[in-house]
Amino acid sequence: MKKFAAVVLMALILIAGALFAFAQMDLFKVTTNSSFDASLVQERIVKIAELASLEYEYSNVIISETDKNISLPGMSDIKFAEAIRLIKYDGYIKAGSKASEIETSYNENTKELVVRVPRAVILENVADIENMEIRDVKDDLFSDYPSQKFVEDINAESEKREKEKIEQGFLEEADKNTEEILTALLKTPAYEEVIIEFY
């Protein structure tokens, strides 16, 4: 029985060795149609609705105020009611490229895959209004605080934050990440070089 097991083990080792040798000799080398590959790559990219490459998450606290004034002839406006609220909320800003506008081409002579990608834009700017926390700082008896004011103040702050991030180079950083992601994703033995071009 031991002799039989040894023979089976030896046979398995020989078969594994032979398969490894065949693999090294490229006897079963697979070739691909390059132009078909390029169009397939484009199809894969288009199926992603957006290529989000950078996300900035934040928590923010803003002060929201309302007041009521009385105008009397010959006098400056008199404030008779005031409300102040602290609003804490979370949000995120996402940047990337529109994948539906990505173009690919393949040069069979140089084996270069060229991917043209639109420059990054802000894809989403979302403030989580559903989970915001509101604290009263001041609330006079006659003050009136419309709930829509919370939303307006948060939206104004979100737009301001988006503008600040763009000025700080957020979109350029997203382009850099997109280039790294696509290069790593598309670099295969079929393509000697992957070139990412932004337009």
Side-chain angles (χ1 to χ4, degrees), residues 6-32:
V7 169
V8 170
L9 183 61
M10 187 60 92
L12 288 173
I13 291 171
L14 289 171
I15 290 169
L19 289 173
F20 179 77
F22 280 126
Q24 296 302 311
M25 292 167 57
D26 285 335
L27 291 176
F28 300 105
K29 188 174 181 182
V30 178
T31 56
T32 57

PDB file of all heavy atoms in Angstrom, residues 6-32:
ATOM      1  N   ALA A   6       3.332   5.964  -2.820  1.00  0.00           N
ATOM      2  CA  ALA A   6       4.561   6.630  -3.272  1.00  0.00           C
ATOM      3  C   ALA A   6       4.565   6.805  -4.782  1.00  0.00           C
ATOM      4  O   ALA A   6       4.987   7.834  -5.307  1.00  0.00           O
ATOM      5  CB  ALA A   6       5.780   5.818  -2.824  1.00  0.00           C
ATOM      6  N   VAL A   7       4.074   5.776  -5.512  1.00  0.00           N
ATOM      7  CA  VAL A   7       4.009   5.852  -6.975  1.00  0.00           C
ATOM      8  C   VAL A   7       3.035   6.946  -7.411  1.00  0.00           C
ATOM      9  O   VAL A   7       3.312   7.742  -8.314  1.00  0.00           O
ATOM     10  CB  VAL A   7       3.605   4.475  -7.575  1.00  0.00           C
ATOM     11  CG1 VAL A   7       3.283   4.594  -9.051  1.00  0.00           C
ATOM     12  CG2 VAL A   7       4.711   3.457  -7.352  1.00  0.00           C
ATOM     13  N   VAL A   8       1.855   7.023  -6.749  1.00  0.00           N
ATOM     14  CA  VAL A   8       0.847   8.049  -7.076  1.00  0.00           C
ATOM     15  C   VAL A   8       1.402   9.446  -6.809  1.00  0.00           C
ATOM     16  O   VAL A   8       1.248  10.366  -7.614  1.00  0.00           O
ATOM     17  CB  VAL A   8      -0.461   7.800  -6.272  1.00  0.00           C
ATOM     18  CG1 VAL A   8      -1.403   8.979  -6.401  1.00  0.00           C
ATOM     19  CG2 VAL A   8      -1.136   6.525  -6.744  1.00  0.00           C
ATOM     20  N   LEU A   9       2.086   9.594  -5.657  1.00  0.00           N
ATOM     21  CA  LEU A   9       2.678  10.882  -5.313  1.00  0.00           C
ATOM     22  C   LEU A   9       3.725  11.304  -6.332  1.00  0.00           C
ATOM     23  O   LEU A   9       3.768  12.448  -6.775  1.00  0.00           O
ATOM     24  CB  LEU A   9       3.297  10.810  -3.912  1.00  0.00           C
ATOM     25  CG  LEU A   9       3.909  12.101  -3.374  1.00  0.00           C
ATOM     26  CD1 LEU A   9       2.856  13.197  -3.255  1.00  0.00           C
ATOM     27  CD2 LEU A   9       4.566  11.871  -2.033  1.00  0.00           C
ATOM     28  N   MET A  10       4.565  10.350  -6.748  1.00  0.00           N
ATOM     29  CA  MET A  10       5.600  10.639  -7.745  1.00  0.00           C
ATOM     30  C   MET A  10       4.974  11.036  -9.079  1.00  0.00           C
ATOM     31  O   MET A  10       5.446  11.971  -9.745  1.00  0.00           O
ATOM     32  CB  MET A  10       6.498   9.407  -7.919  1.00  0.00           C
ATOM     33  CG  MET A  10       7.697   9.674  -8.797  1.00  0.00           C
ATOM     34  SD  MET A  10       8.749  10.967  -8.151  1.00  0.00           S
ATOM     35  CE  MET A  10       9.875  10.006  -7.202  1.00  0.00           C
ATOM     36  N   ALA A  11       3.891  10.343  -9.469  1.00  0.00           N
ATOM     37  CA  ALA A  11       3.202  10.648 -10.733  1.00  0.00           C
ATOM     38  C   ALA A  11       2.624  12.059 -10.695  1.00  0.00           C
ATOM     39  O   ALA A  11       2.708  12.816 -11.670  1.00  0.00           O
ATOM     40  CB  ALA A  11       2.100   9.632 -11.003  1.00  0.00           C
ATOM     41  N   LEU A  12       2.030  12.443  -9.556  1.00  0.00           N
ATOM     42  CA  LEU A  12       1.458  13.794  -9.421  1.00  0.00           C
ATOM     43  C   LEU A  12       2.540  14.861  -9.524  1.00  0.00           C
ATOM     44  O   LEU A  12       2.342  15.898 -10.153  1.00  0.00           O
ATOM     45  CB  LEU A  12       0.714  13.923  -8.087  1.00  0.00           C
ATOM     46  CG  LEU A  12      -0.616  13.163  -7.998  1.00  0.00           C
ATOM     47  CD1 LEU A  12      -1.173  13.225  -6.587  1.00  0.00           C
ATOM     48  CD2 LEU A  12      -1.634  13.738  -8.980  1.00  0.00           C
ATOM     49  N   ILE A  13       3.692  14.601  -8.904  1.00  0.00           N
ATOM     50  CA  ILE A  13       4.795  15.559  -8.969  1.00  0.00           C
ATOM     51  C   ILE A  13       5.287  15.713 -10.408  1.00  0.00           C
ATOM     52  O   ILE A  13       5.548  16.825 -10.883  1.00  0.00           O
ATOM     53  CB  ILE A  13       5.950  15.115  -8.036  1.00  0.00           C
ATOM     54  CG1 ILE A  13       5.502  15.258  -6.574  1.00  0.00           C
ATOM     55  CG2 ILE A  13       7.202  15.924  -8.289  1.00  0.00           C
ATOM     56  CD1 ILE A  13       6.449  14.654  -5.571  1.00  0.00           C
ATOM     57  N   LEU A  14       5.397  14.590 -11.133  1.00  0.00           N
ATOM     58  CA  LEU A  14       5.837  14.638 -12.534  1.00  0.00           C
ATOM     59  C   LEU A  14       4.849  15.400 -13.417  1.00  0.00           C
ATOM     60  O   LEU A  14       5.239  16.195 -14.275  1.00  0.00           O
ATOM     61  CB  LEU A  14       6.055  13.222 -13.081  1.00  0.00           C
ATOM     62  CG  LEU A  14       7.288  12.474 -12.535  1.00  0.00           C
ATOM     63  CD1 LEU A  14       7.273  11.022 -12.983  1.00  0.00           C
ATOM     64  CD2 LEU A  14       8.561  13.165 -13.012  1.00  0.00           C
ATOM     65  N   ILE A  15       3.551  15.161 -13.199  1.00  0.00           N
ATOM     66  CA  ILE A  15       2.511  15.856 -13.993  1.00  0.00           C
ATOM     67  C   ILE A  15       2.572  17.363 -13.718  1.00  0.00           C
ATOM     68  O   ILE A  15       2.518  18.181 -14.640  1.00  0.00           O
ATOM     69  CB  ILE A  15       1.107  15.286 -13.677  1.00  0.00           C
ATOM     70  CG1 ILE A  15       0.983  13.867 -14.240  1.00  0.00           C
ATOM     71  CG2 ILE A  15       0.011  16.183 -14.240  1.00  0.00           C
ATOM     72  CD1 ILE A  15      -0.245  13.112 -13.767  1.00  0.00           C
ATOM     73  N   ALA A  16       2.698  17.743 -12.416  1.00  0.00           N
ATOM     74  CA  ALA A  16       2.782  19.168 -12.067  1.00  0.00           C
ATOM     75  C   ALA A  16       4.005  19.814 -12.694  1.00  0.00           C
ATOM     76  O   ALA A  16       3.953  20.932 -13.212  1.00  0.00           O
ATOM     77  CB  ALA A  16       2.808  19.327 -10.547  1.00  0.00           C
ATOM     78  N   GLY A  17       5.121  19.096 -12.680  1.00  0.00           N
ATOM     79  CA  GLY A  17       6.345  19.609 -13.290  1.00  0.00           C
ATOM     80  C   GLY A  17       6.210  19.796 -14.782  1.00  0.00           C
ATOM     81  O   GLY A  17       6.679  20.782 -15.351  1.00  0.00           O
ATOM     82  N   ALA A  18       5.555  18.836 -15.438  1.00  0.00           N
ATOM     83  CA  ALA A  18       5.359  18.938 -16.888  1.00  0.00           C
ATOM     84  C   ALA A  18       4.468  20.119 -17.242  1.00  0.00           C
ATOM     85  O   ALA A  18       4.742  20.863 -18.197  1.00  0.00           O
ATOM     86  CB  ALA A  18       4.747  17.635 -17.414  1.00  0.00           C
ATOM     87  N   LEU A  19       3.395  20.310 -16.478  1.00  0.00           N
ATOM     88  CA  LEU A  19       2.492  21.456 -16.729  1.00  0.00           C
ATOM     89  C   LEU A  19       3.222  22.778 -16.533  1.00  0.00           C
ATOM     90  O   LEU A  19       3.042  23.724 -17.297  1.00  0.00           O
ATOM     91  CB  LEU A  19       1.269  21.385 -15.803  1.00  0.00           C
ATOM     92  CG  LEU A  19       0.254  20.281 -16.124  1.00  0.00           C
ATOM     93  CD1 LEU A  19      -0.810  20.204 -15.045  1.00  0.00           C
ATOM     94  CD2 LEU A  19      -0.392  20.525 -17.484  1.00  0.00           C
ATOM     95  N   PHE A  20       4.049  22.861 -15.512  1.00  0.00           N
ATOM     96  CA  PHE A  20       4.826  24.079 -15.261  1.00  0.00           C
ATOM     97  C   PHE A  20       5.785  24.350 -16.418  1.00  0.00           C
ATOM     98  O   PHE A  20       5.919  25.476 -16.883  1.00  0.00           O
ATOM     99  CB  PHE A  20       5.601  23.937 -13.945  1.00  0.00           C
ATOM    100  CG  PHE A  20       6.442  25.135 -13.632  1.00  0.00           C
ATOM    101  CD1 PHE A  20       5.867  26.301 -13.136  1.00  0.00           C
ATOM    102  CD2 PHE A  20       7.815  25.122 -13.855  1.00  0.00           C
ATOM    103  CE1 PHE A  20       6.641  27.413 -12.860  1.00  0.00           C
ATOM    104  CE2 PHE A  20       8.585  26.239 -13.579  1.00  0.00           C
ATOM    105  CZ  PHE A  20       8.006  27.379 -13.081  1.00  0.00           C
ATOM    106  N   ALA A  21       6.434  23.290 -16.918  1.00  0.00           N
ATOM    107  CA  ALA A  21       7.379  23.439 -18.038  1.00  0.00           C
ATOM    108  C   ALA A  21       6.664  23.922 -19.293  1.00  0.00           C
ATOM    109  O   ALA A  21       7.153  24.799 -20.005  1.00  0.00           O
ATOM    110  CB  ALA A  21       8.085  22.109 -18.304  1.00  0.00           C
ATOM    111  N   PHE A  22       5.466  23.370 -19.586  1.00  0.00           N
ATOM    112  CA  PHE A  22       4.692  23.804 -20.745  1.00  0.00           C
ATOM    113  C   PHE A  22       4.307  25.277 -20.623  1.00  0.00           C
ATOM    114  O   PHE A  22       4.347  26.033 -21.589  1.00  0.00           O
ATOM    115  CB  PHE A  22       3.428  22.949 -20.911  1.00  0.00           C
ATOM    116  CG  PHE A  22       3.688  21.629 -21.574  1.00  0.00           C
ATOM    117  CD1 PHE A  22       3.294  20.445 -20.982  1.00  0.00           C
ATOM    118  CD2 PHE A  22       4.333  21.565 -22.802  1.00  0.00           C
ATOM    119  CE1 PHE A  22       3.533  19.220 -21.590  1.00  0.00           C
ATOM    120  CE2 PHE A  22       4.585  20.364 -23.423  1.00  0.00           C
ATOM    121  CZ  PHE A  22       4.190  19.168 -22.810  1.00  0.00           C
ATOM    122  N   ALA A  23       3.926  25.675 -19.401  1.00  0.00           N
ATOM    123  CA  ALA A  23       3.530  27.077 -19.183  1.00  0.00           C
ATOM    124  C   ALA A  23       4.697  28.014 -19.433  1.00  0.00           C
ATOM    125  O   ALA A  23       4.534  29.096 -20.003  1.00  0.00           O
ATOM    126  CB  ALA A  23       3.000  27.252 -17.753  1.00  0.00           C
ATOM    127  N   GLN A  24       5.906  27.619 -19.032  1.00  0.00           N
ATOM    128  CA  GLN A  24       7.082  28.449 -19.231  1.00  0.00           C
ATOM    129  C   GLN A  24       7.492  28.539 -20.687  1.00  0.00           C
ATOM    130  O   GLN A  24       8.103  29.507 -21.114  1.00  0.00           O
ATOM    131  CB  GLN A  24       8.265  27.894 -18.403  1.00  0.00           C
ATOM    132  CG  GLN A  24       8.034  27.934 -16.900  1.00  0.00           C
ATOM    133  CD  GLN A  24       7.767  29.341 -16.416  1.00  0.00           C
ATOM    134  OE1 GLN A  24       8.491  30.258 -16.747  1.00  0.00           O
ATOM    135  NE2 GLN A  24       6.708  29.515 -15.636  1.00  0.00           N
ATOM    136  N   MET A  25       7.162  27.521 -21.485  1.00  0.00           N
ATOM    137  CA  MET A  25       7.576  27.492 -22.895  1.00  0.00           C
ATOM    138  C   MET A  25       6.611  28.258 -23.801  1.00  0.00           C
ATOM    139  O   MET A  25       6.789  28.322 -25.005  1.00  0.00           O
ATOM    140  CB  MET A  25       7.679  26.036 -23.381  1.00  0.00           C
ATOM    141  CG  MET A  25       8.842  25.285 -22.715  1.00  0.00           C
ATOM    142  SD  MET A  25       8.760  23.505 -22.960  1.00  0.00           S
ATOM    143  CE  MET A  25       8.736  23.405 -24.740  1.00  0.00           C
ATOM    144  N   ASP A  26       5.567  28.838 -23.242  1.00  0.00           N
ATOM    145  CA  ASP A  26       4.588  29.628 -24.025  1.00  0.00           C
ATOM    146  C   ASP A  26       3.964  28.811 -25.153  1.00  0.00           C
ATOM    147  O   ASP A  26       3.609  29.363 -26.192  1.00  0.00           O
ATOM    148  CB  ASP A  26       5.235  30.900 -24.611  1.00  0.00           C
ATOM    149  CG  ASP A  26       5.448  31.959 -23.560  1.00  0.00           C
ATOM    150  OD1 ASP A  26       4.729  31.953 -22.543  1.00  0.00           O
ATOM    151  OD2 ASP A  26       6.335  32.772 -23.765  1.00  0.00           O
ATOM    152  N   LEU A  27       3.811  27.504 -24.957  1.00  0.00           N
ATOM    153  CA  LEU A  27       3.180  26.687 -26.003  1.00  0.00           C
ATOM    154  C   LEU A  27       1.698  27.028 -26.138  1.00  0.00           C
ATOM    155  O   LEU A  27       1.107  26.849 -27.187  1.00  0.00           O
ATOM    156  CB  LEU A  27       3.349  25.191 -25.675  1.00  0.00           C
ATOM    157  CG  LEU A  27       4.786  24.663 -25.771  1.00  0.00           C
ATOM    158  CD1 LEU A  27       4.836  23.216 -25.333  1.00  0.00           C
ATOM    159  CD2 LEU A  27       5.304  24.811 -27.190  1.00  0.00           C
ATOM    160  N   PHE A  28       1.112  27.496 -25.039  1.00  0.00           N
ATOM    161  CA  PHE A  28      -0.313  27.823 -25.068  1.00  0.00           C
ATOM    162  C   PHE A  28      -0.530  29.332 -24.963  1.00  0.00           C
ATOM    163  O   PHE A  28      -1.457  29.807 -24.345  1.00  0.00           O
ATOM    164  CB  PHE A  28      -1.039  27.108 -23.904  1.00  0.00           C
ATOM    165  CG  PHE A  28      -0.925  25.629 -23.962  1.00  0.00           C
ATOM    166  CD1 PHE A  28      -0.088  24.940 -23.105  1.00  0.00           C
ATOM    167  CD2 PHE A  28      -1.644  24.922 -24.911  1.00  0.00           C
ATOM    168  CE1 PHE A  28       0.021  23.560 -23.163  1.00  0.00           C
ATOM    169  CE2 PHE A  28      -1.535  23.544 -24.978  1.00  0.00           C
ATOM    170  CZ  PHE A  28      -0.700  22.849 -24.113  1.00  0.00           C
ATOM    171  N   LYS A  29       0.342  30.110 -25.557  1.00  0.00           N
ATOM    172  CA  LYS A  29       0.265  31.579 -25.489  1.00  0.00           C
ATOM    173  C   LYS A  29      -1.021  32.059 -26.164  1.00  0.00           C
ATOM    174  O   LYS A  29      -1.358  31.614 -27.257  1.00  0.00           O
ATOM    175  CB  LYS A  29       1.479  32.190 -26.189  1.00  0.00           C
ATOM    176  CG  LYS A  29       1.581  33.678 -26.009  1.00  0.00           C
ATOM    177  CD  LYS A  29       2.873  34.199 -26.586  1.00  0.00           C
ATOM    178  CE  LYS A  29       2.977  35.688 -26.380  1.00  0.00           C
ATOM    179  NZ  LYS A  29       4.189  36.224 -26.971  1.00  0.00           N
ATOM    180  N   VAL A  30      -1.710  32.971 -25.480  1.00  0.00           N
ATOM    181  CA  VAL A  30      -2.968  33.507 -26.009  1.00  0.00           C
ATOM    182  C   VAL A  30      -2.702  34.874 -26.612  1.00  0.00           C
ATOM    183  O   VAL A  30      -2.089  35.732 -25.979  1.00  0.00           O
ATOM    184  CB  VAL A  30      -4.017  33.622 -24.869  1.00  0.00           C
ATOM    185  CG1 VAL A  30      -5.308  34.224 -25.401  1.00  0.00           C
ATOM    186  CG2 VAL A  30      -4.285  32.257 -24.251  1.00  0.00           C
ATOM    187  N   THR A  31      -3.140  35.083 -27.836  1.00  0.00           N
ATOM    188  CA  THR A  31      -3.001  36.400 -28.472  1.00  0.00           C
ATOM    189  C   THR A  31      -4.369  37.060 -28.507  1.00  0.00           C
ATOM    190  O   THR A  31      -5.399  36.392 -28.547  1.00  0.00           O
ATOM    191  CB  THR A  31      -2.457  36.271 -29.909  1.00  0.00           C
ATOM    192  OG1 THR A  31      -3.326  35.412 -30.643  1.00  0.00           O
ATOM    193  CG2 THR A  31      -1.062  35.699 -29.909  1.00  0.00           C
ATOM    194  N   THR A  32      -4.366  38.368 -28.500  1.00  0.00           N
ATOM    195  CA  THR A  32      -5.632  39.103 -28.488  1.00  0.00           C
ATOM    196  C   THR A  32      -5.689  40.067 -29.653  1.00  0.00           C
ATOM    197  O   THR A  32      -4.668  40.520 -30.153  1.00  0.00           O
ATOM    198  CB  THR A  32      -5.776  39.915 -27.182  1.00  0.00           C
ATOM    199  OG1 THR A  32      -4.658  40.780 -27.064  1.00  0.00           O
ATOM    200  CG2 THR A  32      -5.855  39.012 -25.968  1.00  0.00           C
TER     201      THR A  32
END
